[in-house]
Amino acid sequence: MDNMTNQEYGAYVNGLSKPSPVGKNMLWAFFVGGGICTAGQALLNLYRHFGLNENNAAAAVSVTLIFVAALLTGLGVFDKVAKRAGAGTLVPITGFANSMVSPALEFKSEGLIMGMSAKMFTIAGPVLVFGISASVLYGVILKLFFTD
């Protein structure tokens, strides 16, 4: 093995590795992601039925999906579903909730402040920083160039 070239080593590893069931993985991702989106639409319809306007219903759906994803992450269910569904669970709002709760749970032994609270933003922090920065930049551009 010491005398192998990179190409020979790559061929060796590919020969030993089990092929990935790409079609099956795509179907799982499609159906789980579609199920999450369908649940979101059903919640939107339900909240609209109970009298919320479009904006308030959309906000309620976001809060509900974040709460459910965080709860399922805390109970260990979300990770089991994600293991099978892969990218299907990364529908932005549920994936974001999972990325916030997972590090917090991982570091809870370090305490409430320095463990859970501080580590919660390990993964989601850059997303928040760049998301907020981009929205401020877009807002400034809109105000400067597209003001009525």
Side-chain angles (χ1 to χ4, degrees), residues 3-129:
N3 299 332
M4 286 183 165
T5 66
N6 286 341
Q7 291 81 13
E8 291 171 333
Y9 181 73
Y12 174 73
V13 169
N14 287 337
L16 295 177
S17 61
K18 187 172 101 174
S20 177
V22 175
K24 182 176 138 187
N25 291 346
M26 288 189 322
L27 282 174
W28 270 106
F30 176 79
F31 284 111
V32 171
I36 293 170
C37 292
T38 302
Q41 184 64 49
L43 285 169
L44 182 68
N45 294 345
L46 180 70
Y47 291 139
R48 291 291 313 256
H49 175 74
F50 286 123
L52 293 177
N53 65 33
E54 189 73 29
N55 288 338
N56 290 338
V61 169
S62 296
V63 169
T64 303
L65 289 176
I66 289 169
F67 173 76
V68 169
L71 179 66
L72 292 177
T73 298
L75 296 173
V77 174
F78 194 94
D79 292 333
K80 290 177 184 173
V81 173
K83 186 175 183 181
R84 178 163 291 246
T89 57
L90 294 179
V91 173
I93 202 144
T94 55
F96 179 73
N98 178 261
S99 73
M100 292 289 288
V101 175
S102 292
L105 291 174
E106 185 177 336
F107 293 101
K108 70 181 178 182
S109 64
E110 293 181 24
L112 182 63
I113 302 299
M114 296 308 291
M116 286 177 49
S117 299
K119 301 297 182 177
M120 186 182 309
F121 295 102
T122 302
I123 294 172
V127 174
L128 291 172
V129 168

